[in-house]
Amino acid sequence: MTKPVNLRQYRKQKARKDRAAVAETNRVVHGTPKALRDAAEAERLRRLAELDGKKRDNS
């Protein structure tokens, strides 16, 4: 016979995991200094521009 599952405890565990995931993303977003966020955005834009420059024209 299998062990019965307490659904209330399962829901609470799932809610804790969900809150932990949200907290992790918030720590990354709000814990990063503005200078680092700006540098990362500039790097992303530079890479996008570099990639766009390497595209072939199919006309």
Side-chain angles (χ1 to χ4, degrees):
M1 213 160 136
T2 62
K3 183 179 175 185
V5 176
N6 188 337
L7 296 177
R8 180 176 47 90
Q9 288 178 347
Y10 177 77
R11 280 193 298 268
K12 285 184 177 184
Q13 287 175 354
K14 184 177 183 317
R16 277 189 214 109
K17 285 181 187 177
D18 293 344
R19 283 195 309 265
V22 170
E24 180 63 31
T25 57
N26 284 342
R27 277 193 290 273
V28 169
V29 170
H30 298 290
T32 307
K34 185 170 181 169
L36 288 177
R37 281 195 310 263
D38 290 345
E41 180 66 14
E43 177 66 17
R44 185 184 73 80
L45 292 174
R46 185 193 64 77
R47 287 182 182 182
L48 256 170
E50 183 180 345
L51 192 61
D52 284 344
K54 293 181 180 180
K55 287 184 180 178
R56 291 193 312 174
D57 188 25
N58 290 333
S59 55

